PDB file of all heavy atoms in Angstrom:
ATOM      1  N   PRO A   1       0.826  -1.155  -0.073  1.00  0.00           N
ATOM      2  CA  PRO A   1      -0.008   0.013  -0.030  1.00  0.00           C
ATOM      3  C   PRO A   1       0.848   1.253   0.001  1.00  0.00           C
ATOM      4  O   PRO A   1       1.851   1.343   0.716  1.00  0.00           O
ATOM      5  CB  PRO A   1      -0.798  -0.104   1.299  1.00  0.00           C
ATOM      6  CG  PRO A   1      -0.759  -1.595   1.700  1.00  0.00           C
ATOM      7  CD  PRO A   1       0.544  -2.143   1.122  1.00  0.00           C
ATOM      8  N   GLY A   2       0.403   2.202  -0.852  1.00  0.00           N
ATOM      9  CA  GLY A   2       1.161   3.471  -0.894  1.00  0.00           C
ATOM     10  C   GLY A   2       2.471   3.503  -1.683  1.00  0.00           C
ATOM     11  O   GLY A   2       3.164   4.553  -1.685  1.00  0.00           O
ATOM     12  N   GLU A   3       2.687   2.462  -2.423  1.00  0.00           N
ATOM     13  CA  GLU A   3       3.916   2.343  -3.245  1.00  0.00           C
ATOM     14  C   GLU A   3       3.762   3.311  -4.437  1.00  0.00           C
ATOM     15  O   GLU A   3       2.683   3.524  -4.997  1.00  0.00           O
ATOM     16  CB  GLU A   3       4.067   0.976  -3.829  1.00  0.00           C
ATOM     17  CG  GLU A   3       5.105   0.203  -2.982  1.00  0.00           C
ATOM     18  CD  GLU A   3       5.391  -1.198  -3.743  1.00  0.00           C
ATOM     19  OE1 GLU A   3       4.935  -1.377  -4.800  1.00  0.00           O
ATOM     20  OE2 GLU A   3       6.009  -1.957  -3.037  1.00  0.00           O
ATOM     21  N   GLY A   4       4.854   3.799  -4.875  1.00  0.00           N
ATOM     22  CA  GLY A   4       4.961   4.682  -6.057  1.00  0.00           C
ATOM     23  C   GLY A   4       5.377   3.872  -7.323  1.00  0.00           C
ATOM     24  O   GLY A   4       5.670   2.673  -7.242  1.00  0.00           O
ATOM     25  N   HIS A   5       5.281   4.495  -8.470  1.00  0.00           N
ATOM     26  CA  HIS A   5       5.662   3.948  -9.763  1.00  0.00           C
ATOM     27  C   HIS A   5       7.108   3.408  -9.717  1.00  0.00           C
ATOM     28  O   HIS A   5       7.356   2.275 -10.255  1.00  0.00           O
ATOM     29  CB  HIS A   5       5.496   4.996 -10.794  1.00  0.00           C
ATOM     30  CG  HIS A   5       5.922   4.554 -12.228  1.00  0.00           C
ATOM     31  ND1 HIS A   5       5.424   3.451 -12.809  1.00  0.00           N
ATOM     32  CD2 HIS A   5       6.839   5.025 -13.065  1.00  0.00           C
ATOM     33  CE1 HIS A   5       6.008   3.329 -14.070  1.00  0.00           C
ATOM     34  NE2 HIS A   5       6.826   4.276 -14.143  1.00  0.00           N
ATOM     35  N   LEU A   6       8.062   4.120  -9.048  1.00  0.00           N
ATOM     36  CA  LEU A   6       9.487   3.725  -9.057  1.00  0.00           C
ATOM     37  C   LEU A   6       9.596   2.410  -8.283  1.00  0.00           C
ATOM     38  O   LEU A   6      10.587   1.690  -8.548  1.00  0.00           O
ATOM     39  CB  LEU A   6      10.336   4.913  -8.481  1.00  0.00           C
ATOM     40  CG  LEU A   6      10.448   6.079  -9.426  1.00  0.00           C
ATOM     41  CD1 LEU A   6      11.302   7.195  -8.718  1.00  0.00           C
ATOM     42  CD2 LEU A   6      11.053   5.706 -10.780  1.00  0.00           C
ATOM     43  N   ASP A   7       8.745   2.214  -7.280  1.00  0.00           N
ATOM     44  CA  ASP A   7       8.957   0.981  -6.491  1.00  0.00           C
ATOM     45  C   ASP A   7       8.542  -0.207  -7.315  1.00  0.00           C
ATOM     46  O   ASP A   7       9.196  -1.238  -7.217  1.00  0.00           O
ATOM     47  CB  ASP A   7       7.923   0.994  -5.237  1.00  0.00           C
ATOM     48  CG  ASP A   7       8.387   2.085  -4.220  1.00  0.00           C
ATOM     49  OD1 ASP A   7       9.594   2.096  -3.872  1.00  0.00           O
ATOM     50  OD2 ASP A   7       7.587   2.855  -3.831  1.00  0.00           O
ATOM     51  N   ALA A   8       7.576  -0.058  -8.154  1.00  0.00           N
ATOM     52  CA  ALA A   8       7.147  -1.132  -9.185  1.00  0.00           C
ATOM     53  C   ALA A   8       8.333  -1.365 -10.176  1.00  0.00           C
ATOM     54  O   ALA A   8       8.630  -2.564 -10.462  1.00  0.00           O
ATOM     55  CB  ALA A   8       5.877  -0.770  -9.814  1.00  0.00           C
ATOM     56  N   LEU A   9       8.871  -0.344 -10.588  1.00  0.00           N
ATOM     57  CA  LEU A   9       9.990  -0.521 -11.630  1.00  0.00           C
ATOM     58  C   LEU A   9      11.258  -1.168 -10.924  1.00  0.00           C
ATOM     59  O   LEU A   9      11.831  -2.048 -11.455  1.00  0.00           O
ATOM     60  CB  LEU A   9      10.473   0.903 -12.037  1.00  0.00           C
ATOM     61  CG  LEU A   9       9.641   1.533 -13.134  1.00  0.00           C
ATOM     62  CD1 LEU A   9      10.156   2.979 -13.513  1.00  0.00           C
ATOM     63  CD2 LEU A   9       9.477   0.766 -14.439  1.00  0.00           C
ATOM     64  N   LEU A  10      11.446  -0.757  -9.657  1.00  0.00           N
ATOM     65  CA  LEU A  10      12.545  -1.341  -8.904  1.00  0.00           C
ATOM     66  C   LEU A  10      12.400  -2.814  -8.652  1.00  0.00           C
ATOM     67  O   LEU A  10      13.297  -3.635  -8.800  1.00  0.00           O
ATOM     68  CB  LEU A  10      12.774  -0.579  -7.545  1.00  0.00           C
ATOM     69  CG  LEU A  10      13.895  -1.097  -6.698  1.00  0.00           C
ATOM     70  CD1 LEU A  10      15.250  -1.059  -7.344  1.00  0.00           C
ATOM     71  CD2 LEU A  10      13.912  -0.275  -5.391  1.00  0.00           C
ATOM     72  N   ARG A  11      11.134  -3.153  -8.254  1.00  0.00           N
ATOM     73  CA  ARG A  11      10.774  -4.621  -8.053  1.00  0.00           C
ATOM     74  C   ARG A  11      11.134  -5.410  -9.352  1.00  0.00           C
ATOM     75  O   ARG A  11      11.699  -6.489  -9.244  1.00  0.00           O
ATOM     76  CB  ARG A  11       9.315  -4.761  -7.636  1.00  0.00           C
ATOM     77  CG  ARG A  11       8.951  -6.184  -7.418  1.00  0.00           C
ATOM     78  CD  ARG A  11       7.487  -6.333  -6.870  1.00  0.00           C
ATOM     79  NE  ARG A  11       7.369  -5.824  -5.513  1.00  0.00           N
ATOM     80  CZ  ARG A  11       6.808  -4.665  -5.197  1.00  0.00           C
ATOM     81  NH1 ARG A  11       6.341  -3.905  -6.155  1.00  0.00           N
ATOM     82  NH2 ARG A  11       6.776  -4.252  -3.959  1.00  0.00           N
ATOM     83  N   GLY A  12      10.644  -4.948 -10.426  1.00  0.00           N
ATOM     84  CA  GLY A  12      10.924  -5.634 -11.802  1.00  0.00           C
ATOM     85  C   GLY A  12      12.295  -5.723 -12.060  1.00  0.00           C
ATOM     86  O   GLY A  12      12.790  -6.819 -12.485  1.00  0.00           O
ATOM     87  N   LEU A  13      13.084  -4.734 -11.823  1.00  0.00           N
ATOM     88  CA  LEU A  13      14.480  -4.691 -12.125  1.00  0.00           C
ATOM     89  C   LEU A  13      15.238  -5.750 -11.212  1.00  0.00           C
ATOM     90  O   LEU A  13      16.033  -6.580 -11.675  1.00  0.00           O
ATOM     91  CB  LEU A  13      15.101  -3.309 -11.818  1.00  0.00           C
ATOM     92  CG  LEU A  13      16.626  -3.206 -11.897  1.00  0.00           C
ATOM     93  CD1 LEU A  13      17.054  -3.094 -13.379  1.00  0.00           C
ATOM     94  CD2 LEU A  13      17.122  -2.025 -11.115  1.00  0.00           C
ATOM     95  N   VAL A  14      14.954  -5.645  -9.843  1.00  0.00           N
ATOM     96  CA  VAL A  14      15.601  -6.533  -8.861  1.00  0.00           C
ATOM     97  C   VAL A  14      15.292  -8.058  -9.070  1.00  0.00           C
ATOM     98  O   VAL A  14      16.116  -8.823  -9.079  1.00  0.00           O
ATOM     99  CB  VAL A  14      15.323  -6.091  -7.494  1.00  0.00           C
ATOM    100  CG1 VAL A  14      15.828  -7.052  -6.400  1.00  0.00           C
ATOM    101  CG2 VAL A  14      15.886  -4.706  -7.156  1.00  0.00           C
ATOM    102  N   LEU A  15      13.971  -8.260  -9.309  1.00  0.00           N
ATOM    103  CA  LEU A  15      13.557  -9.706  -9.450  1.00  0.00           C
ATOM    104  C   LEU A  15      14.113 -10.318 -10.737  1.00  0.00           C
ATOM    105  O   LEU A  15      14.566 -11.421 -10.825  1.00  0.00           O
ATOM    106  CB  LEU A  15      12.064  -9.864  -9.439  1.00  0.00           C
ATOM    107  CG  LEU A  15      11.340  -9.532  -8.069  1.00  0.00           C
ATOM    108  CD1 LEU A  15       9.920  -9.609  -8.186  1.00  0.00           C
ATOM    109  CD2 LEU A  15      11.896 -10.547  -7.052  1.00  0.00           C
ATOM    110  N   GLY A  16      14.162  -9.510 -11.826  1.00  0.00           N
ATOM    111  CA  GLY A  16      14.777  -9.941 -13.054  1.00  0.00           C
ATOM    112  C   GLY A  16      16.263 -10.251 -12.882  1.00  0.00           C
ATOM    113  O   GLY A  16      16.787 -11.250 -13.423  1.00  0.00           O
ATOM    114  N   LYS A  17      16.931  -9.340 -12.218  1.00  0.00           N
ATOM    115  CA  LYS A  17      18.417  -9.556 -11.958  1.00  0.00           C
ATOM    116  C   LYS A  17      18.648 -10.801 -11.149  1.00  0.00           C
ATOM    117  O   LYS A  17      19.569 -11.631 -11.414  1.00  0.00           O
ATOM    118  CB  LYS A  17      18.931  -8.287 -11.306  1.00  0.00           C
ATOM    119  CG  LYS A  17      20.412  -8.063 -11.396  1.00  0.00           C
ATOM    120  CD  LYS A  17      20.684  -7.492 -12.832  1.00  0.00           C
ATOM    121  CE  LYS A  17      22.158  -7.213 -12.993  1.00  0.00           C
ATOM    122  NZ  LYS A  17      22.513  -6.822 -14.299  1.00  0.00           N
ATOM    123  N   LEU A  18      17.853 -10.982 -10.096  1.00  0.00           N
ATOM    124  CA  LEU A  18      18.074 -12.140  -9.200  1.00  0.00           C
ATOM    125  C   LEU A  18      17.758 -13.489  -9.937  1.00  0.00           C
ATOM    126  O   LEU A  18      18.403 -14.478  -9.879  1.00  0.00           O
ATOM    127  CB  LEU A  18      17.161 -12.023  -7.915  1.00  0.00           C
ATOM    128  CG  LEU A  18      17.670 -11.160  -6.856  1.00  0.00           C
ATOM    129  CD1 LEU A  18      16.563 -10.928  -5.831  1.00  0.00           C
ATOM    130  CD2 LEU A  18      18.930 -11.659  -6.192  1.00  0.00           C
ATOM    131  N   GLY A  19      16.583 -13.405 -10.752  1.00  0.00           N
ATOM    132  CA  GLY A  19      16.208 -14.555 -11.530  1.00  0.00           C
ATOM    133  C   GLY A  19      17.269 -14.975 -12.490  1.00  0.00           C
ATOM    134  O   GLY A  19      17.550 -16.197 -12.569  1.00  0.00           O
ATOM    135  N   LYS A  20      17.760 -14.012 -13.282  1.00  0.00           N
ATOM    136  CA  LYS A  20      18.766 -14.374 -14.278  1.00  0.00           C
ATOM    137  C   LYS A  20      20.046 -14.938 -13.647  1.00  0.00           C
ATOM    138  O   LYS A  20      20.682 -15.818 -14.214  1.00  0.00           O
ATOM    139  CB  LYS A  20      19.093 -13.154 -15.098  1.00  0.00           C
ATOM    140  CG  LYS A  20      18.372 -13.033 -16.373  1.00  0.00           C
ATOM    141  CD  LYS A  20      19.058 -12.191 -17.454  1.00  0.00           C
ATOM    142  CE  LYS A  20      19.134 -10.775 -17.117  1.00  0.00           C
ATOM    143  NZ  LYS A  20      19.586  -9.924 -18.219  1.00  0.00           N
ATOM    144  N   ALA A  21      20.316 -14.417 -12.441  1.00  0.00           N
ATOM    145  CA  ALA A  21      21.571 -14.832 -11.803  1.00  0.00           C
ATOM    146  C   ALA A  21      21.350 -16.156 -10.996  1.00  0.00           C
ATOM    147  O   ALA A  21      22.288 -16.689 -10.406  1.00  0.00           O
ATOM    148  CB  ALA A  21      22.080 -13.792 -10.736  1.00  0.00           C
ATOM    149  N   GLY A  22      20.161 -16.759 -11.162  1.00  0.00           N
ATOM    150  CA  GLY A  22      19.937 -18.134 -10.550  1.00  0.00           C
ATOM    151  C   GLY A  22      19.676 -18.117  -9.122  1.00  0.00           C
ATOM    152  O   GLY A  22      19.891 -19.152  -8.397  1.00  0.00           O
ATOM    153  N   HIS A  23      19.118 -17.003  -8.603  1.00  0.00           N
ATOM    154  CA  HIS A  23      18.767 -17.003  -7.096  1.00  0.00           C
ATOM    155  C   HIS A  23      17.572 -17.949  -6.896  1.00  0.00           C
ATOM    156  O   HIS A  23      16.553 -17.845  -7.440  1.00  0.00           O
ATOM    157  CB  HIS A  23      18.311 -15.560  -6.721  1.00  0.00           C
ATOM    158  CG  HIS A  23      17.979 -15.336  -5.267  1.00  0.00           C
ATOM    159  ND1 HIS A  23      16.697 -15.230  -4.840  1.00  0.00           N
ATOM    160  CD2 HIS A  23      18.733 -15.374  -4.193  1.00  0.00           C
ATOM    161  CE1 HIS A  23      16.659 -15.065  -3.521  1.00  0.00           C
ATOM    162  NE2 HIS A  23      17.948 -15.094  -3.064  1.00  0.00           N
ATOM    163  N   LYS A  24      17.888 -18.978  -6.065  1.00  0.00           N
ATOM    164  CA  LYS A  24      16.938 -20.148  -5.948  1.00  0.00           C
ATOM    165  C   LYS A  24      15.580 -19.680  -5.643  1.00  0.00           C
ATOM    166  O   LYS A  24      14.635 -20.293  -6.327  1.00  0.00           O
ATOM    167  CB  LYS A  24      17.527 -21.099  -4.876  1.00  0.00           C
ATOM    168  CG  LYS A  24      16.937 -22.477  -4.894  1.00  0.00           C
ATOM    169  CD  LYS A  24      17.711 -23.454  -4.071  1.00  0.00           C
ATOM    170  CE  LYS A  24      17.110 -24.912  -4.046  1.00  0.00           C
ATOM    171  NZ  LYS A  24      15.906 -24.916  -3.241  1.00  0.00           N
ATOM    172  N   ALA A  25      15.300 -18.976  -4.587  1.00  0.00           N
ATOM    173  CA  ALA A  25      13.966 -18.663  -4.170  1.00  0.00           C
ATOM    174  C   ALA A  25      13.198 -17.816  -5.243  1.00  0.00           C
ATOM    175  O   ALA A  25      12.000 -18.062  -5.479  1.00  0.00           O
ATOM    176  CB  ALA A  25      13.981 -17.878  -2.851  1.00  0.00           C
ATOM    177  N   THR A  26      13.943 -16.973  -5.951  1.00  0.00           N
ATOM    178  CA  THR A  26      13.334 -16.177  -7.010  1.00  0.00           C
ATOM    179  C   THR A  26      12.954 -17.061  -8.104  1.00  0.00           C
ATOM    180  O   THR A  26      11.902 -16.945  -8.796  1.00  0.00           O
ATOM    181  CB  THR A  26      14.353 -15.096  -7.449  1.00  0.00           C
ATOM    182  OG1 THR A  26      14.773 -14.259  -6.372  1.00  0.00           O
ATOM    183  CG2 THR A  26      13.708 -14.188  -8.516  1.00  0.00           C
ATOM    184  N   LEU A  27      13.812 -17.982  -8.498  1.00  0.00           N
ATOM    185  CA  LEU A  27      13.609 -18.940  -9.606  1.00  0.00           C
ATOM    186  C   LEU A  27      12.402 -19.740  -9.339  1.00  0.00           C
ATOM    187  O   LEU A  27      11.458 -19.888 -10.208  1.00  0.00           O
ATOM    188  CB  LEU A  27      14.840 -19.741  -9.811  1.00  0.00           C
ATOM    189  CG  LEU A  27      14.789 -20.901 -10.912  1.00  0.00           C
ATOM    190  CD1 LEU A  27      14.319 -20.342 -12.225  1.00  0.00           C
ATOM    191  CD2 LEU A  27      16.086 -21.679 -10.937  1.00  0.00           C
ATOM    192  N   GLU A  28      12.281 -20.260  -8.081  1.00  0.00           N
ATOM    193  CA  GLU A  28      11.170 -21.118  -7.751  1.00  0.00           C
ATOM    194  C   GLU A  28       9.802 -20.401  -7.772  1.00  0.00           C
ATOM    195  O   GLU A  28       8.851 -20.826  -8.378  1.00  0.00           O
ATOM    196  CB  GLU A  28      11.293 -21.731  -6.350  1.00  0.00           C
ATOM    197  CG  GLU A  28      12.339 -22.819  -6.394  1.00  0.00           C
ATOM    198  CD  GLU A  28      12.711 -23.252  -4.941  1.00  0.00           C
ATOM    199  OE1 GLU A  28      12.179 -22.641  -3.929  1.00  0.00           O
ATOM    200  OE2 GLU A  28      13.569 -24.151  -4.763  1.00  0.00           O
ATOM    201  N   GLU A  29       9.786 -19.114  -7.199  1.00  0.00           N
ATOM    202  CA  GLU A  29       8.586 -18.337  -7.254  1.00  0.00           C
ATOM    203  C   GLU A  29       8.201 -17.862  -8.708  1.00  0.00           C
ATOM    204  O   GLU A  29       7.014 -17.907  -9.027  1.00  0.00           O
ATOM    205  CB  GLU A  29       8.823 -17.116  -6.370  1.00  0.00           C
ATOM    206  CG  GLU A  29       7.547 -16.219  -6.183  1.00  0.00           C
ATOM    207  CD  GLU A  29       6.328 -16.917  -5.511  1.00  0.00           C
ATOM    208  OE1 GLU A  29       6.590 -18.008  -4.917  1.00  0.00           O
ATOM    209  OE2 GLU A  29       5.327 -16.307  -5.465  1.00  0.00           O
ATOM    210  N   ALA A  30       9.206 -17.590  -9.507  1.00  0.00           N
ATOM    211  CA  ALA A  30       8.917 -17.121 -10.933  1.00  0.00           C
ATOM    212  C   ALA A  30       8.286 -18.330 -11.631  1.00  0.00           C
ATOM    213  O   ALA A  30       7.349 -18.123 -12.444  1.00  0.00           O
ATOM    214  CB  ALA A  30      10.196 -16.752 -11.594  1.00  0.00           C
ATOM    215  N   ARG A  31       8.782 -19.484 -11.434  1.00  0.00           N
ATOM    216  CA  ARG A  31       8.225 -20.707 -12.129  1.00  0.00           C
ATOM    217  C   ARG A  31       6.775 -20.891 -11.654  1.00  0.00           C
ATOM    218  O   ARG A  31       5.903 -21.286 -12.488  1.00  0.00           O
ATOM    219  CB  ARG A  31       9.019 -21.939 -11.879  1.00  0.00           C
ATOM    220  CG  ARG A  31      10.286 -21.984 -12.722  1.00  0.00           C
ATOM    221  CD  ARG A  31      11.140 -23.209 -12.325  1.00  0.00           C
ATOM    222  NE  ARG A  31      12.259 -23.311 -13.291  1.00  0.00           N
ATOM    223  CZ  ARG A  31      13.418 -23.898 -13.048  1.00  0.00           C
ATOM    224  NH1 ARG A  31      13.657 -24.482 -11.859  1.00  0.00           N
ATOM    225  NH2 ARG A  31      14.357 -24.011 -13.902  1.00  0.00           N
ATOM    226  N   ARG A  32       6.546 -20.783 -10.351  1.00  0.00           N
ATOM    227  CA  ARG A  32       5.213 -20.957  -9.843  1.00  0.00           C
ATOM    228  C   ARG A  32       4.229 -20.010 -10.443  1.00  0.00           C
ATOM    229  O   ARG A  32       3.135 -20.318 -10.876  1.00  0.00           O
ATOM    230  CB  ARG A  32       5.205 -20.827  -8.288  1.00  0.00           C
ATOM    231  CG  ARG A  32       3.928 -21.197  -7.608  1.00  0.00           C
ATOM    232  CD  ARG A  32       3.908 -20.940  -6.124  1.00  0.00           C
ATOM    233  NE  ARG A  32       3.916 -19.593  -5.846  1.00  0.00           N
ATOM    234  CZ  ARG A  32       2.818 -18.795  -5.911  1.00  0.00           C
ATOM    235  NH1 ARG A  32       1.661 -19.322  -6.373  1.00  0.00           N
ATOM    236  NH2 ARG A  32       2.962 -17.514  -5.522  1.00  0.00           N
ATOM    237  N   ARG A  33       4.625 -18.675 -10.438  1.00  0.00           N
ATOM    238  CA  ARG A  33       3.724 -17.658 -10.870  1.00  0.00           C
ATOM    239  C   ARG A  33       3.547 -17.794 -12.461  1.00  0.00           C
ATOM    240  O   ARG A  33       2.507 -17.391 -12.945  1.00  0.00           O
ATOM    241  CB  ARG A  33       4.301 -16.271 -10.613  1.00  0.00           C
ATOM    242  CG  ARG A  33       4.158 -15.981  -9.107  1.00  0.00           C
ATOM    243  CD  ARG A  33       4.642 -14.584  -8.789  1.00  0.00           C
ATOM    244  NE  ARG A  33       4.555 -14.384  -7.279  1.00  0.00           N
ATOM    245  CZ  ARG A  33       3.825 -13.414  -6.621  1.00  0.00           C
ATOM    246  NH1 ARG A  33       3.160 -12.566  -7.376  1.00  0.00           N
ATOM    247  NH2 ARG A  33       3.770 -13.295  -5.405  1.00  0.00           N
ATOM    248  N   PHE A  34       4.574 -18.188 -13.186  1.00  0.00           N
ATOM    249  CA  PHE A  34       4.520 -18.353 -14.632  1.00  0.00           C
ATOM    250  C   PHE A  34       3.490 -19.469 -14.940  1.00  0.00           C
ATOM    251  O   PHE A  34       2.649 -19.311 -15.864  1.00  0.00           O
ATOM    252  CB  PHE A  34       5.867 -18.760 -15.274  1.00  0.00           C
ATOM    253  CG  PHE A  34       5.886 -18.886 -16.655  1.00  0.00           C
ATOM    254  CD1 PHE A  34       5.735 -17.854 -17.524  1.00  0.00           C
ATOM    255  CD2 PHE A  34       6.074 -20.126 -17.280  1.00  0.00           C
ATOM    256  CE1 PHE A  34       5.691 -17.949 -18.870  1.00  0.00           C
ATOM    257  CE2 PHE A  34       6.089 -20.274 -18.672  1.00  0.00           C
ATOM    258  CZ  PHE A  34       5.931 -19.231 -19.455  1.00  0.00           C
ATOM    259  N   LYS A  35       3.525 -20.567 -14.145  1.00  0.00           N
ATOM    260  CA  LYS A  35       2.613 -21.701 -14.310  1.00  0.00           C
ATOM    261  C   LYS A  35       1.158 -21.202 -14.190  1.00  0.00           C
ATOM    262  O   LYS A  35       0.297 -21.463 -14.956  1.00  0.00           O
ATOM    263  CB  LYS A  35       2.918 -22.799 -13.413  1.00  0.00           C
ATOM    264  CG  LYS A  35       2.125 -24.066 -13.628  1.00  0.00           C
ATOM    265  CD  LYS A  35       2.718 -25.260 -12.699  1.00  0.00           C
ATOM    266  CE  LYS A  35       1.941 -26.510 -12.871  1.00  0.00           C
ATOM    267  NZ  LYS A  35       0.624 -26.521 -12.300  1.00  0.00           N
ATOM    268  N   ASP A  36       0.918 -20.478 -13.064  1.00  0.00           N
ATOM    269  CA  ASP A  36      -0.452 -19.864 -12.782  1.00  0.00           C
ATOM    270  C   ASP A  36      -0.900 -18.915 -13.868  1.00  0.00           C
ATOM    271  O   ASP A  36      -2.061 -18.889 -14.277  1.00  0.00           O
ATOM    272  CB  ASP A  36      -0.403 -19.156 -11.483  1.00  0.00           C
ATOM    273  CG  ASP A  36      -0.392 -20.117 -10.262  1.00  0.00           C
ATOM    274  OD1 ASP A  36      -0.607 -21.307 -10.476  1.00  0.00           O
ATOM    275  OD2 ASP A  36      -0.245 -19.611  -9.137  1.00  0.00           O
TER     276      ASP A  36
END
């Protein structure tokens, strides 16, 4: 709640970076959300 546009951009940037780098928890959650 109360997040700005830049917070959403930052989330996308950070999760993409972690996912590409093979961060285990990020990879698992990305696969789960992709399937849904």
Side-chain angles (χ1 to χ4, degrees):
E3 259 188 11
H5 175 59
L6 290 178
D7 294 310
L9 285 177
L10 180 56
R11 180 175 288 106
L13 175 81
V14 171
L15 291 175
K17 204 76 178 170
L18 284 168
K20 264 205 294 194
H23 183 253
K24 194 167 180 286
T26 306
L27 177 54
E28 285 170 1
E29 185 64 9
R31 282 177 171 156
R32 188 186 71 75
R33 289 183 182 240
F34 182 69
K35 187 171 180 286
D36 285 353

